[in-house]
Amino acid sequence: MKNDTLKIFVGCDPNNCDLEQMMVLDYSINKHTQQPVDIIWMQLSHDPSSYWYSDPKSNQGWRTENWATPFSGFRWAIPEFCQFQGRAIYMDTDVIVLDDLALLWEHPIEANAIVAAKGGKSSARLCTCVWDCEKAKSFLPKIEELKSNPASHQNLMKQIQKQPSLVQPYNDHFNCIDGEGLSINEIKILHYSDMGTQFSHKYSIPRLQQNHATHWFDGEIFPHPRADLTALFDQYYQEALSAGYQLEDYAITPYGNFHKASQKKYSGNSITRSEKSQPWFKKFLNKFRSKRNSFHLDQ
C-alpha cells in the first residue's frame, strides 16, 4: 500500500459555503502526506450523470431531507463508487490533517470489520474513516436503495451500532473532536465538529453575505473555546493562500435549495459547550438531545 494513490472522499456543501474548509483541508493533506492523493469532493448535483445527483422536486437521486448536513449519507456510497475494490478514506470537510494520511490509509482492518473508525459500539464515528471497499459489499445496500431512502444514513448508523465488530477501532487522535483536551502536537486529524463553533464561519459568512447568500447551517454560532485551535486554522488558511491555493479553485455553480433537517436546535457537544453556567433544565435538555442524536457528530 506504500505506493498507492490515496483516494480521499470529502463530504461538502454544494452552494460554496465550505470553500474555506475545503482549501484548508486540501492544503493540510498535501502539507503532511508524501504519497499522491486523489480528492473527490462529494457535492449534491443537478447533473443526472453525477453519482451525487439529487432532484428534490421529483424525489429522484439522493433523498436528503433527514440529513443534518448536505452530505451526511454520501459516505455509504463510497465502496460502490470504488467498484468494491481497494481502500478509500472518508472525511467531513471540517477537518485539518496534521500528520501523514498514509498512517490512516494503512491501518489494519481485521476479521469481519469493513471500516476503520473512531470508537465502537454506540460511540462509533464514521466522520473520518477508512473503508475496505470489498468487505463492505456484503453489508451495504445497493446504491439506488441508499439514494431513495431518506432514512438510509440513520438506519445504517444504527446497524453499525448493533454490530460493533464491523468497525475496526483506530487511535482516537485520527479523529480528534474539537481538541478533546489534547495539545496540537498530539492531534493527527482535527475534526472541528461542532457546527456552531467552526473556525471557518468568520470567513465564510461575510463572504456569503456579500453575495446575498446564506450558510447552510441555520443554528446559533459561538466562538470556539480553544484559542490555540482557532489560531491553527487561521495559520493554515494563510499558509494555503501563500502557497497559491485560492478559494475560487473550489467554487462551483451553486446547487440552490435542497432538503435538509434544520439545525436551529443544534446543541453542539460537551467539548465545546460548557454546562457550568446553564440552568438544570437546559443541562437535562442538552443531554437528552445529545443521546437522541448520538451520531450527529458524524454529520
Side-chain angles (χ1 to χ4, degrees):
M1 290 191 290
K2 290 186 178 180
N3 296 320
D4 287 348
T5 295
L6 277 54
K7 291 182 288 187
I8 305 167
F9 291 78
V10 182
C12 42
D13 161 84
N15 289 324
N16 298 326
C17 297
D18 294 341
L19 302 184
E20 290 80 7
Q21 295 184 1
M22 296 165 74
M23 182 180 76
V24 168
L25 173 56
D26 189 6
Y27 170 74
S28 72
I29 290 171
N30 285 286
K31 177 177 181 175
H32 295 287
T33 303
Q34 303 302 311
Q35 289 175 231
V37 299
D38 180 17
I39 300 177
I40 298 95
W41 305 106
M42 300 188 294
Q43 297 167 288
L44 291 169
S45 172
H46 288 296
D47 181 358
S49 67
S50 169
Y51 216 73
W52 321 113
Y53 168 68
S54 177
D55 181 11
K57 292 182 179 178
S58 64
N59 287 329
Q60 297 298 308
W62 287 95
R63 298 282 301 276
T64 65
E65 53 262 45
N66 290 356
W67 295 3
T69 74
F71 49 83
S72 297
F74 285 162
R75 73 201 71 192
W76 307 103
I78 292 171
E80 188 162 337
F81 184 99
C82 296
Q83 300 179 322
F84 297 111
Q85 297 177 4
R87 289 191 169 204
I89 291 175
Y90 169 75
M91 293 179 169
D92 294 345
T93 191
D94 50 349
V95 159
I96 305 174
V97 174
L98 299 173
D99 207 338
D100 193 331
L101 272 185
L103 297 172
L104 181 59
W105 179 262
E106 296 170 4
H107 195 283
I109 304 177
E110 300 172 337
N112 65 332
I114 63 173
V115 64
K118 181 174 183 172
K121 299 183 179 180
S122 61
S123 65
R125 293 171 179 159
L126 305 186
C127 36
T128 297
C129 63
V130 188
W131 288 104
D132 183 319
C133 297
E134 182 179 0
K135 291 171 70 176
K137 185 175 183 178
S138 61
F139 171 78
L140 294 172
K142 296 293 185 183
I143 188 66
E144 292 307 321
E145 182 180 344
L146 277 174
K147 292 178 179 180
S148 62
N149 184 356
S152 60
H153 173 55
Q154 290 86 347
N155 290 343
L156 286 166
M157 286 304 301
K158 290 176 182 176
Q159 289 185 45
I160 287 284
Q161 180 184 16
K162 293 177 181 177
Q163 297 176 265
S165 63
L166 294 173
V167 179
Q168 176 78 51
Y170 62 44
N171 186 316
D172 284 357
H173 300 191
F174 281 121
N175 186 8
C176 178
I177 306 297
D178 287 298
E180 298 186 52
L182 298 176
S183 64
I184 290 175
N185 61 9
E186 292 178 288
I187 300 171
K188 296 182 182 297
I189 299 176
L190 172 65
H191 183 191
Y192 47 106
S193 173
D194 184 336
M195 292 183 279
T197 66
Q198 291 185 339
F199 315 120
S200 52
H201 286 324
K202 69 179 180 183
Y203 299 102
S204 61
I205 291 177
R207 171 178 57 79
L208 291 164
Q209 288 174 341
Q210 289 180 354
N211 294 310
H212 307 288
T214 57
H215 198 280
W216 60 264
F217 177 66
D218 58 354
E220 290 186 78
I221 294 175
F222 303 86
H224 198 283
R226 283 193 53 175
D228 61 334
L229 299 183
T230 302
L232 177 70
F233 182 91
D234 293 341
Q235 173 192 331
Y236 272 59
Y237 180 82
Q238 294 300 329
E239 284 183 12
L241 292 174
S242 297
Y245 290 72
Q246 302 178 72
L247 296 181
E248 293 79 8
D249 295 339
Y250 305 91
I252 60 173
T253 301
Y255 178 89
N257 294 331
F258 55 87
H259 297 311
K260 185 185 75 65
S262 172
Q263 296 300 301
K264 289 182 179 179
K265 296 182 179 180
Y266 179 72
S267 57
N269 62 59
S270 59
I271 300 165
T272 53
R273 316 271 181 121
S274 172
E275 296 185 345
K276 291 181 180 179
S277 60
Q278 294 179 359
W280 72 269
F281 180 75
K282 189 168 184 180
K283 291 181 183 179
F284 171 80
L285 186 61
N286 285 343
K287 288 180 180 178
F288 171 77
R289 287 173 178 165
S290 178
K291 185 175 182 180
R292 181 189 62 185
N293 300 319
S294 60
F295 297 114
H296 269 27
L297 283 175
D298 282 343
Q299 298 181 2

